[in-house]
Amino acid sequence: MAEVVVVGSGPNGLAAAVIAARAGLSVRVLEAQEQPGGGSRTAELTLPGFHHDVCAGAHPMALASPFFRAFDLAAHGVELLAPTVSYAHPLDGGVAGLAWRNLESTVADLGRDGPAWRSLFAPLVEHWPAVVELAMSDLRHPPLNVPTGVRFGLRVLEQASPLWNNRFHEDVAPAMLTGVATHAITQPRAIPAVGAGLLLGTLAHAGGWVIPRGGSQAIPDALIAELERLGGEVVTGHRVDDFAELATARAVLFDTSPAELLRIAGDRLPERYRNSLGRFRYGGAACKVDFALSGPVPWTAPGADLAGTLHLIGTRAEAMRAEKQIAAGRFADRPYVLAIQPGVVDSTRAPEGKHTFYTYAHVPNGSDRDITEDVIAQVERFAPGFRDLILAKHVRPAAFMPAHNANYIGGDISAGAMTLRQTVFRPLARWNPYATPIPGTYLCSSSTSPGPGVHGMSGLHATHHMLRTRFGIVTDPLDLLRGEKPAYR
């Protein structure tokens, strides 16, 4: 048995594995699925030659997260392609809010609300590394950058309060901001959603929402190649059912949901800890619908054809209403649909002249309903004629999400409800949220701080604790990634 075993091969698990291997430890990753990568896999879901991302499709944090900046995806052969427009938010009437990579281009497009958009985002864009370091911390030891914390915090409080409309005069800018916040699959005015929206909105103008050439699979493939170069291994098709098979490892990291940790570790965990994990809440879910298209989507709004990502919901009020219905366990009259069209920058995703089109729509947790027609109707609303381009489609209702990723309980792709409590205390109210009561056993998934996203930081934080407490290695994991040798206390 290796010194370190990682259960699950999502980005956080692979981040933990690479850091441990860089520290000179022997590492084995055990993955239940036949294809590694967790939420960053790519597959031909519709027709041969059409390469669809199974979950995550656009990756702002691939450029921005401290882990990936230190790992350097480009140096490991991953080509990150940045659309000219990071995201678009169409509204009825053939107009769309466009988040250009260049902030001033966005400001110019927004007309009367342009100065308000600049005042909201310019200070964050100027200091984006500090914003990311704050948001991607373990939330117990945030970096001591007071000005950035104040800038970010004041904007969160404004947009999470009744003041959220005060700075805007028209419909486009507030719809854009709400569309980004709704990524969190919770009420867009909730503090966690606003925080996520401001972070993602900042990155839209600081490097962009990049798309990996060939598909998201390029990211885990690069991590696996580095792990194997360092002597580690990834074993696929290996479902762990009993903690006993892991007991000889000096350290075990679970890139899993709390529910999976409970299933595997069971009575080895103290009753109080088991009960606390059992109360961890899972939130709103996603129904994923992928399309193979005979041509590009015929968006009515100019500029929408340049965007890698689109938020299809309409006005701020519509987004609020839709998410309120989901939170109440009902289907939205018109669902929030997130769409990605990788073909705007990556011609390898489909045969020549054709396109892949990725969508997911927010639905109640555990829903087994196929809402393909609702998704098509929402796309047609902003791109009449879309239906005529469909060559094939593939749908995965929320209830079937765990079959391809056990972390997505009931289709919750955030691996835990994005409530305020479960953002600050994720998964539990403990000073060290990564360590479990079993010595040498850690949780490192998106169910821990800093939460969902392809950033590797949950894996980094958990591994930092593991290296120090189990192996006496005190070197900063980021320095290990940059080639520094491990130092022991």
Side-chain angles (χ1 to χ4, degrees):
M1 177 63 72
E3 292 172 284
V4 176
V5 173
V6 180
V7 180
S9 68
N12 284 311
L14 292 174
V18 167
I19 292 167
R22 285 283 184 97
L25 304 173
S26 60
V27 182
R28 176 178 295 167
V29 179
L30 304 177
E31 170 56 53
Q33 300 294 321
E34 295 297 333
Q35 182 183 5
S40 296
R41 287 172 288 169
T42 302
E44 293 180 322
L45 297 177
T46 53
L47 296 172
F50 289 83
H51 301 281
H52 302 267
D53 293 321
V54 172
C55 186
H59 299 277
M61 297 306 299
L63 286 176
S65 101
F67 171 79
F68 281 122
R69 279 165 30 215
F71 180 75
D72 192 350
L73 284 166
H76 289 82
V78 180
E79 188 176 358
L80 298 173
L81 308 171
T84 306
V85 175
S86 294
Y87 67 90
H89 192 116
L91 282 83
D92 296 321
V95 298
L98 304 177
W100 299 86
R101 287 207 318 274
N102 180 279
L103 174 61
E104 288 305 314
S105 296
T106 305
V107 170
D109 266 5
L110 288 175
R112 187 183 177 195
D113 279 338
W117 192 266
R118 181 193 291 118
S119 70
L120 182 66
F121 279 109
L124 303 181
V125 173
E126 183 181 356
H127 301 281
W128 72 263
V131 172
V132 170
E133 287 167 11
L134 174 65
M136 291 290 104
S137 73
D138 64 5
L139 302 185
R140 274 66 170 178
H141 307 86
L144 297 177
N145 189 319
V146 175
T148 296
V150 171
R151 291 186 195 101
F152 191 75
L154 288 176
R155 285 160 173 77
V156 169
L157 292 176
E158 174 200 305
Q159 289 299 309
S161 78
L163 299 175
W164 76 329
N165 276 321
N166 281 11
R167 71 166 60 229
F168 300 119
H169 303 282
E170 299 177 350
D171 291 333
V172 175
M176 289 174 64
L177 188 54
T178 305
V180 183
T182 307
H183 279 235
I185 319 185
T186 190
Q187 299 278 7
R189 213 173 80 182
I191 287 177
V194 172
L198 289 173
L199 173 64
L200 293 174
T202 298
L203 296 179
H205 305 302
W209 291 8
V210 295
I211 293 173
R213 184 180 295 280
S216 296
Q217 187 71 48
I219 295 175
D221 284 354
L223 293 167
I224 291 168
E226 175 63 8
L227 176 63
E228 291 176 342
R229 186 188 72 80
L230 295 167
E233 65 173 334
V234 177
V235 181
T236 58
H238 186 118
R239 184 175 187 265
V240 178
D241 290 313
D242 191 333
F243 190 87
E245 71 171 283
L246 312 172
T248 58
R250 290 184 63 188
V252 180
L253 294 120
F254 280 84
D255 184 14
T256 70
S257 67
E260 277 293 282
L261 175 61
L262 283 171
R263 182 185 68 80
I264 295 168
D267 291 342
R268 290 174 180 261
L269 296 166
E271 181 179 6
R272 183 176 178 182
Y273 185 82
R274 290 201 312 271
N275 291 341
S276 295
L277 279 189
R279 289 191 293 270
F280 185 76
R281 290 176 51 199
Y282 298 93
C287 176
K288 177 83 158 31
V289 188
D290 289 278
F291 299 92
L293 304 178
S294 62
V297 179
W299 303 108
T300 301
D305 58 321
L306 302 175
T309 303
L310 299 103
H311 305 136
L312 310 179
I313 186 59
T315 64
R316 167 171 271 187
E318 287 183 86
M320 287 290 290
R321 182 166 59 251
E323 294 307 298
K324 184 176 182 179
Q325 290 173 315
I326 298 301
R330 303 193 303 271
F331 288 89
D333 301 326
R334 280 177 159 177
Y336 173 94
V337 176
L338 185 146
I340 294 177
Q341 43 188 19
V344 299
V345 287
D346 184 6
S347 62
T348 71
R349 298 293 190 96
E352 186 175 359
K354 298 178 173 58
H355 288 260
T356 60
F357 190 62
Y358 155 130
T359 70
Y360 74 66
H362 293 177
V363 296
N365 191 284
S367 162
D368 62 359
R369 183 188 295 184
D370 176 352
I371 66 165
T372 300
E373 285 303 314
D374 300 85
V375 170
I376 293 173
Q378 194 73 311
V379 180
E380 281 268 341
R381 174 183 174 188
F382 305 108
F386 169 75
R387 185 186 297 273
D388 298 333
L389 300 173
I390 299 172
L391 300 173
K393 53 186 180 290
H394 174 273
V395 60
R396 182 173 280 122
F400 300 100
M401 286 279 188
H404 81 92
N405 192 325
N407 288 359
Y408 298 160
I409 306 297
D412 175 4
I413 59 176
S414 296
M418 295 298 291
T419 64
L420 180 58
R421 177 181 175 82
Q422 284 196 177
T423 299
V424 178
F425 302 114
R426 191 171 181 91
L428 302 176
R430 292 163 60 94
W431 182 249
N432 183 348
Y434 310 99
T436 77
I438 302 175
T441 302
Y442 304 82
L443 193 62
C444 71
S445 69
S446 294
S447 298
T448 65
S449 298
V454 179
H455 46 64
M457 292 303 294
S458 298
L460 182 145
H461 293 313
T463 309
H464 192 187
H465 287 288
M466 179 205 74
L467 292 176
R468 188 176 67 252
T469 58
R470 295 298 287 179
F471 297 95
I473 297 172
V474 294
T475 309
D476 188 313
L478 294 175
D479 291 331
L480 291 172
L481 289 169
R482 297 184 186 107
E484 189 171 314
K485 299 297 182 183
Y488 296 82
R489 62 186 176 196

